[in-house]
Amino acid sequence: MLAIDDKDLGTPERKSDKLISLEVDGRTVEVPEGTSVMRAAALADIWIPKLCASDLLEAFGSCRLCLVEIEGRNGLPASCTTLAEPGMRVRTQSQRLTKLRRNVMELYMSDHPLDPFECKAGGKCELHKMAQAVGLDHVRYSSSGRNHLTLPVDNSNPYFTFDPTRCILCSRCIRACDERQGTYALTIDGRGFNSVISPGQHQHYSESECVSCGACVQLCPTDALMEKSVLETGPAERAVITTCGYCGVGCSFKAELRGDQVVRMVPNKNGLPNFGHSCVKGRFAWGYATHPDRVRTPMIRKRISDPWQEVSWEEALRYAASELKRVQAKYGRGSIGGITSSRCTNEEAYLVQKLVRAGFGNNNVDTCARVCHSPTGYGLKAALGTPAGTQDFDSVRASDVIMVIGANPTEGHPVFASIMKRRLREGAHLIVVDPRRIELVRMPHVEADYFLQLKPGTNVALLNAMSHVVVTEGLAKEDFIRERCDVREYEMWREFIVQKRNSPESVEQTTGVPAESIRGAARLYAKGPNSAIYYGLGVTEHSQGTTAVLAMVNLAMVTGNLGRAGVGINPLRGQNNVQGSNDVGSFPHEYTGYRHVSDPQVRAAFEREWGVKLDPEPGLRIPNMFDAALDGSFKGLYVEGEDIAQSDPNSQHVAEALAAMEIVIVHDIFLNETSKYAHVFLPGSSFLEKDGTFTNAERRISRVRKVLPPLAGMEDWEVTCALARAFGYPMNYSHPSEIMDELARLTPIFAGVSYGKLERLGSVQWPCNDDAPDGTAVMHVGQFVRGKGRFMLTEYIPTEERTSPRYPLILTTGRVLTQYNVGTQTRRTKNVTWYAEDRLEIHPHDAEQRGIRDNDWVEVSSRAGSIVLRAEITDRMQPGVVYTTFHYPETGANVVTTENSDWATNCPEYKVTAVQVLPTTRRPERRVPEPAHHAEMSHQ
Amino acid sequence: MDIHRLVKMANDIGSFYEALPDRSEAISSIATHLKNFWEPRMRREIIEHARQGAEATPRLKELVREAILTLE
């Protein structure tokens, strides 16, 4: 069922400069060429009955309910498949049409309960609405004849049911799976009266290829496919538009409520960037918000070995502030700091960095982007002038060649992947660069032209080799370079890149990729004409992460693939607000809008607004904070919404650093690994419990709206304000919109952003200011933000992490569709049905050599530590490389990762760890070291 | 702070910039990076280490040591 307040115009929008004028029931309507009669009528507020049609799907013409009369034409054409023509005169109502529709509807209802009270959707499904619309009040056919009323219900999916007795075989579910999701999991099995919708090959949903995106459930016009939450709670009464709290795609959703209870999350069909599509996490995995593990009361303790004591907000904040002040008085101004989170809103991150800079009086603020996309920020800013993706997601629909490097969109960014797959099905070419054979390499109706299965840690060598091919084979876009780029730097880079050591033949052994494949991929990319790069943490989380980002920019600039739709360099951000938390000043060296703290003019503006003198020196980054803690010069930390003890590399080192601090304040929705080292726990609010904004990977700022009261009584922005006041720095706002107003006053790229504008436009992409009042979809049109594009020398320098006889394999990491990062949220949902533990993927050859069988327990040992998990033998891996996820703390994947990091940003090198893998009798244990005494809860 | 880590970080920065053909440009780029991104206590410690001479261990790359000494 669509969202309760959705209007469906029947067929998709068509874009054309040519307008067609026609008449529907005497009303003149003008529509773009290619528009259906059904949609034209709907645009004139004339609603033709329909069942198989939806504006989210291409017209199908099967239900025969939308028949109309067209003057001068024989018969009764289906309005969904008939295109509007100039001068056409359409009648949607007549006695003949009424009778026909009623007869058609009667046949549908002869095998379906007519009584709305029997409708699982409370009579709100389209089938019952249409029965009403055509005036059907009884069915003449006996219910004792052949019917489908005894077919078994499929309850196998944890989130929705499929009741074939309620199915009318309109194929909307199948088309949703094919056209919108691109999974092709559904079909019609059988013939004639025996036809039934079948997941896979007559399997249950849970056994099929279904990825639980929910598109079929959303588009089912009956109560055959229903969310279990609706069946349990009852149909929704109202809907609130908000933004998903998971990945960096940042999908727009309608939270549907009954009373004050969330009934379901439905993708907003008019919302960007997802155009009404969703994935299993955003659509279904929101139950963590009310999970019993949520902490509802602030807690404090003097030592981390003490039990927690529940206290009032006032006491917790007073204790936290007094400890921060005590530590600062004892150890100095720079001895405390804060960490913002990409799971929190822009407004919340802004306040934390403001508290650190203006309240604590230093710049010791950092964010979890440090451990994921900080090289993106550094590289794109250095070369192009702005640290953000160059395109909007929709740009991919204009791409001719798509290169995916170090990203796994179908698992990590599934809604964007569905848009990308649509473009690939239309004929765009695909290059995949990854050590692991990701799903995109070959799947239904998608196959990569080139799959460059490189060795982990060799991105720079491969990207340089592609540029080498472009330059040496005369494929460089010299006109673009001369006009748009710094020519002196280009000439210097050109001299570097043509050297033999950068040729595909020279790097073949290093990368493990045949030279001819690199040459072929480079030629394909260079010839485009519109070639786009999409990348993820497989690029950034390396000792040469920043170099790889710069190498991609070089490749895009030398082929002229920047500054228009269909091209560009596009980071796929892991968390919903990675971009936003960076934008609003979370890095220790930059104020909002990426302006360095040493810039006296910028600093003066902040000093005026905030009423204090500010520190002109950069602060500590997260790994520097840990080092300084062990050194004894950093003693206090306020962590909002990040589990650094689980997510940061070399857990032992992090644990020791946290244990060395005298005041650790964790502000989160659940107790986590970091809170084991905390002295104050401030209960946070989930994305459903607060107002604010998120900024997704395409720079789109979208509203987050409060649909539930915060469980612990305070929204996160209110908590930070209260902590600031307790610390002695006044921070008073009555609504997050005021925080955004302040941010806009201080930040040129946000100057035109306001909650009023977001209400009006739905969302807006920065830069949004006087030059671009409605925002900017594509960056660097005509000119790069920094002026001339900057080619930079990207020498390949191998990581210091090397295999050896003792550690002969390389471990790399990633994530799966159904789990999210360290699993704090998704582990507390039914998504564990699909992925209940981290697994180690290993190639059959490596497994055979070690006597490892599928599902065996294995010990993975590195120079930093060892972990235990089950093996999954698969040829997705190349020999010599193993892979795991980091969703479960029991696995402790970061126990084995090293402290190597990117040269420019200290982003950890999660993607390359030398390991040995051997069968073991050990079993997983809590790997993040516990404090001296196990902490228990006490209630006072 | 752990001088081994600071030296490794500084040398990693040097490895990127030593590709520049103009040595003085490489030195100024390394120095600018350290000034822009390293917190003062980290800079103080690495400067102190650089002052101890080219042979001080852990060893700084010479290019990096020269860059650090320009920060004084």
Side-chain angles (χ1 to χ4, degrees), chain A residues 334 596 617 627 633 899, chain B residues 1 5 33 36-37 41 43:
Chain A
H596 201 273
E617 291 285 358
D627 291 343
S633 64
E899 286 182 274
Chain B
M1 293 169 78
R5 282 175 65 80
H33 186 96
N36 283 344
F37 297 100
R41 80 189 84 171
R43 295 208 305 266

Side-chain angles (χ1 to χ4, degrees), chain A residues 29 78 172 188 193 269 293 399 428 430 441 459 511 549 557 562 606 617 721 741 771 808 870:
Chain A
V29 57
R172 266 168 58 164
I188 291 183
F193 196 79
K269 68 200 281 287
D293 286 352
S399 296
L430 175 64
V441 172
N459 288 328
T511 61
V549 172
M557 284 196 299
L562 284 160
F606 279 85
E617 291 285 358
C721 287
D741 292 342
D771 293 337
R870 284 185 199 273

Side-chain angles (χ1 to χ4, degrees), chain A residues 97-277:
Chain A
L97 286 169
T98 302
K99 187 176 175 189
L100 197 64
R101 286 179 188 147
R102 195 176 294 159
N103 284 343
V104 169
M105 199 67 216
E106 191 177 5
L107 287 168
Y108 280 119
M109 299 310 284
S110 69
D111 199 9
H112 198 283
L114 179 61
D115 187 346
F117 288 109
E118 287 189 49
C119 174
K120 296 176 188 176
K124 291 184 177 178
C125 76
E126 288 177 60
L127 187 70
H128 278 99
K129 283 182 186 168
M130 288 305 133
Q132 268 190 326
V134 302
L136 182 72
D137 54 12
H138 72 283
V139 173
R140 291 168 291 167
Y141 306 105
S142 162
S143 60
S144 60
R146 281 181 77 196
N147 58 51
H148 297 88
L149 298 176
T150 56
L151 290 173
V153 177
D154 180 353
N155 275 315
S156 63
N157 187 288
Y159 293 116
F160 60 86
T161 65
F162 173 54
D163 182 349
T165 69
R166 308 299 178 107
C167 175
I168 59 169
L169 292 173
C170 64
S171 292
R172 266 168 58 164
C173 54
I174 298 173
R175 290 182 286 141
C177 192
D178 297 356
E179 294 175 26
R180 296 190 62 71
Q181 170 55 29
T183 292
Y184 297 84
L186 303 178
T187 187
I188 291 183
D189 187 78
R191 290 287 180 271
F193 196 79
N194 294 324
S195 302
V196 287
I197 298 294
S198 167
Q201 297 182 342
H202 209 58
Q203 296 163 300
H204 287 126
Y205 262 92
S206 63
E207 297 160 350
S208 71
E209 306 95 324
C210 168
V211 291
S212 298
C213 69
C216 57
V217 185
Q218 179 190 13
L219 278 157
C220 178
T222 77
D223 52 354
L225 280 159
M226 289 285 293
E227 296 92 346
K228 288 181 178 174
S229 57
V230 176
L231 298 176
E232 288 159 9
T233 314
E237 296 160 338
R238 62 193 173 96
V240 180
I241 294 174
T242 190
T243 304
C244 181
Y246 282 113
C247 79
V249 179
C251 292
S252 178
F253 272 87
K254 288 184 177 177
E256 289 194 345
L257 296 112
R258 186 176 179 85
D260 60 356
Q261 199 171 348
V262 177
V263 175
R264 62 175 187 155
M265 298 287 288
V266 193
N268 177 10
K269 68 200 281 287
N270 299 314
L272 297 175
N274 50 317
F275 301 99
H277 193 46

Side-chain angles (χ1 to χ4, degrees), chain A residues 396 399 401-413 416-417 420-421 424 429-441 443 446 448-454 459 462-463 466 521 524-525 531-539 552 555 568-572:
Chain A
V396 77
S399 296
V401 178
I402 299 167
M403 179 158 126
V404 178
I405 172 168
N408 190 359
T410 58
E411 303 272 348
H413 304 84
F416 172 66
M420 181 190 279
K421 286 188 290 184
L424 291 168
H429 295 281
L430 175 64
I431 300 165
V432 174
V433 184
D434 204 288
R436 180 171 173 264
R437 195 183 68 235
I438 60 170
E439 191 183 20
L440 262 185
V441 172
M443 61 187 308
V446 169
D449 297 75
Y450 290 94
F451 171 38
L452 310 183
Q453 192 169 19
L454 80 179
N459 288 328
L462 186 131
L463 289 161
M466 288 182 73
L524 179 64
Y525 177 85
S531 298
I533 297 174
Y534 291 87
Y535 72 97
L537 306 184
V539 165
M552 289 189 301
L555 180 61
I569 300 180
N570 306 281
L572 295 174

Side-chain angles (χ1 to χ4, degrees), chain A residues 334 378 492 547 550 589 596 617-621 624 627 631 633 793 797 800 899-900 903-904 906, chain B residues 1-2 5 8-9 12-13 15-17 19-21 25 33 35-43 45:
Chain A
Y378 186 98
M492 191 161 67
T547 316
L550 294 169
H589 63 288
H596 201 273
E617 291 285 358
L620 295 167
R621 300 164 169 177
N624 310 146
D627 291 343
D631 181 43
S633 64
L793 305 191
I797 299 164
E800 290 181 9
E899 286 182 274
N900 290 335
W903 65 269
N906 285 145
Chain B
M1 293 169 78
D2 182 351
R5 282 175 65 80
K8 181 176 185 324
M9 285 162 57
D12 285 348
I13 295 163
S15 297
F16 177 80
Y17 285 111
L20 287 168
E25 191 181 349
H33 186 96
K35 192 162 175 2
N36 283 344
F37 297 100
W38 280 35
E39 199 255 8
R41 80 189 84 171
M42 297 164 66
R43 295 208 305 266
E45 292 190 29

